[in-house]
Amino acid sequence: MQFMLLFSRQGKLRLQKWYVPLSDKEKKKITRELVQTVLARKPKMCSFLEWRDLKIVYKRYASLYFCCAIEDQDNELITLEIIHRYVELLDKYFGSVCELDIIFNFEKAYFILDEFLLGGEAQETSKKNVLKAIEQADLLQEVSTQSVTSEHLCKCIATPQ
Amino acid sequence: MPAPIRLRELIRTIRTARTQAEEREMIQKECAAIRSSFREEDNTYRCRNVAKLLYMHMLGYPAHFGQLECLKLIASQKFTDKRIGYLGAMLLLDERQDVHLLMTNCIKNDLNHSTQYVQGLSLCTLGCMGSSEMCRDLAGEVEKLLKTSNSYLRKKAALCAVHVIRKVPELMEMFLPATKNLLSEKNHGEILHTSVVLLTEMCERSPDMLSHFRKLVPQLVRILKNLIMSGYSPEHDVSGISDPFLQVRILRLLRILGKGDDDSSEAMNDILAQVATNTETSKNVGNAILYETVLTIMDIKSESGLRVLAINILGRFLLNNDKNIRYVALTSLLKTVQTDHNAVQRHRSTIVDCLKDLDVSIKRRAMELSFALVNGNNIRGMMKELLYFLDSCDPDFKADCASGIFLAAEKYAPSKRWHIDTVMRVLTTAGSYVRDDSVPNLIQLITNSVEMHAYTVQRLYKALLDDISQQPLVQVASWCIGEYGDLLVSGQCEEEEPIQVSEDEVLDVLEGLLVSNLSTPVTRAYSLTAIMKLSTRFSSVNRIKKVVSIYGSSIDVELQQRAVEYNALFKKYDHMRPALLERMPIMEKTATNGPTDIAQTNGETDSTILDTKHLPSITQPASQVGRCNYHICFCLAGIPPMTAYNKNGLKIEFTFERSNPSPNIAVITIHATNSTEADMTEFVFQAAVPKVCSFPSSSSFPHYALNLFFLFFFLGITDILVTKKLYLTFNSM
């Protein structure tokens, strides 16, 4: 996967994850053009399109578009499943997720994505394991922000099972 | 100094802005506050400030002043800080900036941290945006983590290694020892997915690695089998299928390992058949696996039964309600149509049905596939469908479709009449979308279909009466009427009921083209020349003379030039006029160009369109004779330079251009080059041309001489077709 974008029906960007090195200017240009292209698609059209020399896979969930750019050898249909899995993770984490959750907790959306995908590939195919890892990390974060933080406590939570 | 506002608070505030200007103001105010907070080196709120900065960055505002702060956060001991710091690094830093290298040491430390979640953060960041330098520095750490027993870290390390290899391929060797046990059973499958991804990357990049890992095929087959056979595993289940992500990755790795290798392909034959037949197809996930399976079957050396199974799966996909599945099927079929042509032919009717699909991408693929499947047997039926498609498709398609139809018609036309009818149909329905180079090609086709001249000119004339807006149609029609107008008025048509039309009516139509606003300058030129040609075919010469003289003062320079020349033809060169304007001879075909992505071979021995500009040369010891049959097609479209002869050290090249002062004169320049060491003597250059032309020839051609020029002048005729034959004789020591 080269990048993943989340944007609203009005074209507002809610999340951008880039797995290829590009300048800020290039990223902005790509985002703008791709968002325009996808928003112009009619509902009856299929979820795949060719754009520049990339394969684009997108799916709309309520008011959000999830859009991925994949490489030639990648399987479009399984990418749809990847998108779906990410949505399920968000849903489980936030409890019936909606766009506002992602707006107000964007950093958490990133953390979840980074626990699911790494370098554009899925690192964990079990939904349960991804959520467990997030939970533990959140706990660690909570503990570390409390004034009475003992390193010992950190270590207990963080040791591998 | 009050505490900086919280992230959520800021988000809420910004969202209340009603205008872009209001938002910008809020952002600027907050940025200023954040900047001063950064300047004060405030550790407590740095995390909060950077988080806010990241939000504003997502809205499109500049945030580069936060880059160093991210690094400070990464270096902090608090997990919260690290989390935001690494996120900020991934969003704000990129490898083009030197700043990012400062991260290297932090990442190195964190890769060895006692807390696995911190290690995870650094692995993730490195694997997402690590530059080549960083990868070089830290590859060793990653390799270490690849061998740890902690599966949480191991899977991240595997994907990080993939990134390292992509950035610095030379480092691949380094990870080889760690891959030894990646697929072994005792891992409980937790790291299988990432392991397969790593192995795939290595095999894709290095043929040596590929041969080395081929021995894993039995193991992979076994893992895949277990996945399919095993019972319900809720953790990895998607709609009743066990770990589809892993299945797909294994299938992909098998594809790479089995390609070109008989033994491996055989070893995976059974499991592929099993997956292909047992996978549940009601949901997208099952079809995703089937799709990957089909791709694998087609790429490896599978037995024919398996290949047919794969094509049939694709055929079933075509009938699926889900348009995504149909899209994927058409794409795959397009890839396999060359190698498994007959199998794909069986699904031709379904493919043709897809031409009526609503989705643009599906329609395009169906069109390309249809052209690939056209052959001598199905041409009539297919053409009917394609012409119907041409009528109703989007304008973006029409040019490609028209070109494709012309190409197919040229290859497989069952009869000349059918061919002309098809061409007519395209010109009348999509005439304005037809490519420019089609006009000369069609003219050539019509000229060569001698027995159809009367029929063709009649049909074109009738088409003109209906509609003069489509320029390619009008141009071809004008040309035809100019050539065969005599057949038109004499009512000689055999193929259909001859129409009754008088010379005056024909001239009315042609003159109508000259004055119409719809006609382009090119079209006008065509019709003026057509009218001129009719002076030798019709009896109403006076009328023609009048028209020609009127246009002698036309504002359009091209028309004016022509008219003046034609006038001169009437006055001073009237004796030459009949010869000049006589009927065009048959032209030999040159290669036609169609859309490049349309497959050429259609499953039968096809007669390729030959380029007839080559020639055999008869070598003799003392003298060498080269003969060159050469036809110059000279239409209003420009012609690129051509090499007419290039053998035995003698090269003859033609370039074509209109003479600059008078564009009605065509200048053909012949460049002759002697590249041998010896002199060539008795060089004779002759060309068979209509009597109006003349040119010199030289009898000696010194060695290494470049560019003896021979110039031809053709008076006044720039859009008729001229045939020349050239004879060269020369002696070379």
Side-chain angles (χ1 to χ4, degrees):
Chain A
M1 195 184 294
Q2 293 210 0
F3 58 83
M4 181 191 280
L5 304 172
L6 263 71
F7 51 90
S8 69
R9 271 213 60 74
Q10 288 76 40
K12 291 216 137 187
L13 198 61
R14 298 301 180 206
L15 190 145
Q16 51 174 332
K17 189 75 190 178
W18 297 84
Y19 296 110
V20 287
L22 290 168
S23 72
D24 231 17
K25 202 166 121 195
E26 285 168 311
K27 286 183 193 168
K28 279 207 168 113
K29 182 155 184 265
I30 290 175
T31 306
R32 193 178 47 234
E33 285 177 20
L34 189 53
V35 167
Q36 235 174 18
T37 308
V38 171
L39 287 177
R41 306 262 297 176
K42 304 192 195 69
K44 283 228 183 297
M45 296 178 125
C46 72
S47 299
F48 314 130
L49 63 121
E50 275 123 20
W51 185 79
R52 298 195 181 181
D53 54 351
L54 291 169
K55 294 205 283 196
I56 305 290
V57 179
Y58 73 94
K59 191 147 183 212
R60 185 175 156 193
Y61 287 85
S63 59
L64 272 182
Y65 281 89
F66 288 70
C67 185
C68 299
I70 58 176
E71 263 126 11
D72 227 23
Q73 341 66 301
D74 291 329
N75 181 330
E76 293 97 320
L77 298 178
I78 207 76
T79 308
L80 280 175
E81 295 299 321
I82 298 247
I83 292 177
H84 192 74
R85 174 56 65 87
Y86 181 46
V87 172
E88 284 180 323
L89 290 168
L90 289 171
D91 198 50
K92 208 60 195 282
Y93 183 83
F94 287 111
S96 228
V97 68
C98 63
E99 193 183 339
L100 276 179
D101 289 321
I102 301 185
I103 294 171
F104 278 94
N105 301 286
F106 71 94
E107 85 277 14
K108 300 217 173 76
Y110 275 109
F111 295 152
I112 295 171
L113 184 62
D114 285 339
E115 205 56 52
F116 174 42
L117 301 177
L118 202 160
E121 306 281 352
Q123 45 180 296
E124 177 60 63
T125 56
S126 151
K127 221 184 331 187
K128 193 174 97 185
N129 286 349
V130 176
L131 290 168
K132 196 161 69 172
I134 294 284
E135 206 181 317
Q136 297 280 41
D138 280 351
L139 206 58
L140 188 59
Q141 179 169 331
E142 233 183 80
V143 168
S144 80
T145 50
Q146 284 169 11
S147 44
V148 193
T149 306
S150 76
E151 205 169 79
H152 172 74
L153 197 62
C154 274
K155 277 211 177 105
C156 284
I157 296 167
T159 38
Q161 43 273 43
Chain B
M1 175 83 188
I5 67 170
R6 293 175 176 278
L7 171 64
R8 322 272 176 240
E9 191 66 49
L10 177 69
I11 297 176
R12 206 168 297 130
T13 312
I14 292 179
R15 281 171 65 79
T16 61
R18 277 161 299 168
T19 64
Q20 185 75 10
E22 215 181 312
E23 184 184 273
R24 210 175 304 133
E25 207 183 299
M26 290 178 185
I27 302 254
Q28 274 170 358
K29 195 164 136 218
E30 185 58 36
C31 276
I34 293 177
R35 274 189 149 109
S36 49
S37 186
F38 284 163
R39 267 198 297 272
E40 287 166 20
E41 296 285 336
D42 182 324
N43 286 335
T44 327
Y45 296 112
R46 183 176 288 124
C47 179
R48 183 185 292 182
N49 285 328
V50 169
K52 287 187 284 184
L53 204 55
L54 293 180
Y55 177 73
M56 294 188 282
H57 177 252
M58 185 145 65
L59 292 178
Y61 296 92
H64 45 270
F65 58 90
Q67 285 170 357
L68 277 174
E69 302 302 313
C70 293
L71 293 176
K72 291 179 196 164
L73 283 175
I74 292 174
S76 156
Q77 285 310 305
K78 281 163 70 175
F79 184 66
T80 323
D81 285 354
K82 283 191 191 285
R83 245 184 162 184
I84 295 290
Y86 275 117
L87 179 61
M90 285 192 273
L91 289 176
L92 299 180
L93 293 173
D94 72 70
E95 56 177 58
R96 289 135 198 272
Q97 292 141 6
D98 294 327
V99 177
H100 85 281
L101 285 170
L102 297 172
M103 266 201 296
T104 314
N105 225 28
C106 279
I107 293 186
K108 187 168 192 172
N109 291 334
D110 283 343
L111 284 174
N112 292 308
H113 203 274
S114 49
T115 311
Q116 72 175 12
Y117 295 105
V118 173
Q119 289 172 292
L121 281 178
S122 51
L123 277 169
C124 180
T125 307
L126 182 60
C128 175
M129 49 136 353
S131 63
S132 321
E133 297 95 337
M134 279 170 77
C135 288
R136 254 184 250 273
D137 284 338
L138 300 169
E141 305 296 326
V142 176
E143 198 260 341
K144 236 172 33 192
L145 287 171
L146 194 50
K147 295 191 285 208
T148 171
S149 54
N150 179 344
S151 57
Y152 177 78
L153 291 176
R154 217 164 160 194
K155 62 184 194 218
K156 290 186 194 274
L159 291 183
C160 197
V162 168
H163 179 82
V164 169
I165 292 173
R166 281 183 186 156
K167 281 301 205 184
V168 193
E170 306 90 72
L171 291 175
M172 193 176 355
E173 291 284 334
M174 176 177 197
F175 295 104
L176 190 54
T179 61
K180 243 199 192 126
N181 295 318
L182 277 182
L183 295 185
S184 83
E185 308 303 327
K186 55 188 169 150
N187 288 315
H188 305 293
E190 273 172 17
I191 65 163
L192 277 180
H193 186 270
T194 53
S195 305
V196 172
V197 173
L198 176 57
L199 291 169
T200 307
E201 187 69 30
M202 293 169 96
C203 291
E204 271 175 347
R205 286 188 177 264
S206 153
D208 290 331
M209 291 286 178
L210 181 54
S211 341
H212 172 82
F213 284 124
R214 269 219 179 88
K215 59 180 193 266
L216 292 176
V217 170
Q219 225 174 339
L220 288 165
V221 168
R222 207 167 42 237
I223 296 172
L224 191 51
K225 198 165 194 154
N226 283 337
L227 275 177
I228 305 173
M229 308 294 260
S230 69
Y232 180 62
S233 154
E235 257 188 58
H236 296 100
D237 182 280
V238 179
S239 304
I241 296 186
S242 312
D243 210 340
F245 303 109
L246 180 57
Q247 286 196 40
V248 164
R249 285 320 295 233
I250 292 180
L251 286 164
R252 185 160 148 185
L253 181 54
L254 285 176
R255 175 155 81 245
I256 295 167
L257 295 173
K259 190 168 187 168
D261 188 85
D262 288 320
D263 291 329
S264 303
S265 301
E266 208 193 301
M268 54 181 85
N269 216 52
D270 283 344
I271 191 66
L272 289 174
Q274 210 177 352
V275 175
T277 38
N278 289 343
T279 307
E280 186 62 48
T281 59
S282 54
K283 293 258 176 76
N284 179 64
V285 59
N287 288 320
I289 295 175
L290 278 180
Y291 176 41
E292 198 74 34
T293 313
V294 165
L295 291 177
T296 302
I297 293 175
M298 300 315 290
D299 245 13
I300 64 171
K301 297 188 152 212
S302 44
E303 45 176 61
S304 60
L306 201 55
R307 292 183 88 85
V308 171
L309 180 61
I311 303 257
N312 288 343
I313 290 176
L314 292 178
R316 273 206 312 276
F317 273 7
L318 282 180
L319 300 168
N320 198 306
N321 283 332
D322 188 340
K323 47 194 140 31
N324 293 333
I325 311 275
R326 291 204 298 274
Y327 176 95
V328 145
L330 286 170
T331 312
S332 313
L333 284 171
L334 202 52
K335 286 194 209 141
T336 67
V337 72
Q338 303 282 34
T339 44
D340 295 85
H341 189 86
N342 291 329
V344 181
Q345 277 282 2
R346 263 180 245 133
H347 300 279
R348 195 179 65 242
S349 51
T350 325
I351 292 169
V352 167
D353 279 341
C354 288
L355 285 172
K356 306 189 182 88
D357 202 296
L358 293 164
D359 187 303
V360 157
S361 318
I362 290 182
K363 274 204 276 227
R364 179 165 279 281
R365 274 173 175 61
M367 180 183 83
E368 288 172 7
L369 205 45
S370 301
F371 281 124
L373 291 175
V374 170
N375 62 27
N377 296 327
N378 58 38
I379 179 77
R380 286 189 193 264
M382 287 295 275
M383 198 51 84
K384 239 197 327 229
E385 297 286 347
L386 288 166
L387 285 170
Y388 179 75
F389 176 67
L390 182 66
D391 267 340
S392 53
C393 68
D394 294 335
D396 318 328
F397 285 89
K398 289 205 196 238
D400 286 335
C401 191
S403 300
I405 289 178
F406 285 148
L407 209 67
E410 204 168 328
K411 271 185 166 170
Y412 303 108
S415 74
K416 288 243 195 250
R417 160 98 190 244
W418 182 94
H419 196 169
I420 302 269
D421 282 341
T422 306
V423 162
M424 287 290 310
R425 176 83 182 269
V426 174
L427 285 178
T428 46
T429 53
S432 19
Y433 299 97
V434 158
R435 292 210 167 86
D436 290 337
D437 60 359
S438 313
V439 171
N441 288 338
L442 293 174
I443 287 177
Q444 193 179 52
L445 164 71
I446 292 168
T447 310
N448 291 355
S449 316
V450 178
E451 64 279 16
M452 304 294 304
H453 284 169
Y455 172 70
T456 311
V457 69
Q458 180 161 296
R459 284 212 60 189
L460 284 169
Y461 178 76
K462 285 201 277 197
L464 270 192
L465 292 176
D466 270 337
D467 171 21
I468 59 168
S469 64
Q470 303 192 87
Q471 300 304 294
L473 171 64
V474 174
Q475 287 166 13
V476 173
S478 310
W479 190 91
C480 271
I481 295 173
E483 277 293 302
Y484 312 120
D486 47 324
L487 299 177
L488 187 59
V489 295
S490 63
Q492 283 181 22
C493 184
E494 282 173 5
E495 300 279 341
E496 63 175 22
E497 187 67 37
I499 57 172
Q500 311 289 0
V501 60
S502 70
E503 290 185 4
D504 277 322
E505 284 171 321
V506 173
L507 287 170
D508 281 342
V509 170
L510 287 176
E511 281 189 52
L513 295 176
L514 276 173
V515 302
S516 166
N517 286 333
L518 296 167
S519 299
T520 61
V522 165
T523 306
R524 289 203 177 93
Y526 265 98
S527 40
L528 186 61
T529 304
I531 292 174
M532 185 60 190
K533 284 194 219 168
L534 290 175
S535 70
T536 55
R537 293 159 175 73
F538 282 2
S539 52
S540 25
V541 181
N542 285 331
R543 176 173 175 178
I544 294 175
K545 269 193 197 167
K546 232 189 340 199
V547 173
V548 166
S549 69
I550 290 173
Y551 280 89
S553 46
S554 160
I555 302 176
D556 182 332
V557 175
E558 174 72 25
L559 278 185
Q560 189 193 106
Q561 193 68 42
R562 287 181 187 226
V564 165
E565 302 286 347
Y566 295 158
N567 244 351
L569 207 53
F570 273 125
K571 299 217 165 71
K572 284 193 278 182
Y573 300 99
D574 207 39
H575 54 281
M576 279 206 258
R577 188 164 50 89
L580 224 50
L581 301 175
E582 70 180 12
R583 193 81 99 220
M584 279 294 131
I586 300 200
M587 288 160 255
E588 284 193 28
K589 277 184 176 182
T590 53
T592 49
N593 296 314
T596 49
D597 45 295
I598 289 188
Q600 292 293 325
T601 56
N602 290 4
E604 30 165 70
T605 52
D606 52 7
S607 50
T608 47
I609 299 160
L610 291 172
D611 176 2
T612 59
K613 287 185 290 182
H614 67 279
L615 58 122
S617 81
I618 311 151
T619 47
Q620 285 165 10
S623 75
Q624 293 177 341
V625 175
R627 197 170 298 145
C628 158
N629 284 336
Y630 192 78
H631 303 267
I632 301 172
C633 290
F634 217 136
C635 299
L636 290 175
I639 306 174
M642 294 174 180
T643 304
Y645 182 78
N646 190 357
K647 261 190 172 121
N648 306 314
L650 176 67
K651 179 170 168 188
I652 310 275
E653 207 174 42
F654 286 84
T655 52
F656 307 89
E657 49 199 16
R658 292 174 190 280
S659 146
N660 223 328
S662 41
N664 231 22
I665 296 176
V667 179
I668 306 177
T669 310
I670 302 170
H671 305 251
T673 316
N674 172 2
S675 59
T676 66
E677 282 175 11
D679 289 354
M680 286 182 183
T681 58
E682 288 158 53
F683 179 76
V684 174
F685 185 99
Q686 296 174 319
V689 291
K691 275 184 256 170
V692 284
C693 316
S694 65
F695 57 93
S697 74
S698 163
S699 61
S700 98
F701 195 175
H703 64 276
Y704 291 127
L706 298 169
N707 296 337
L708 272 186
F709 293 99
F710 301 103
L711 302 178
F712 285 85
F713 293 90
F714 283 80
L715 278 176
I717 307 141
T718 51
D719 66 337
I720 61 172
L721 296 123
V722 175
T723 310
K724 280 189 359 210
K725 281 205 173 131
L726 305 171
Y727 291 91
L728 311 163
T729 55
F730 57 93
N731 283 343
S732 170
M733 312 313 175

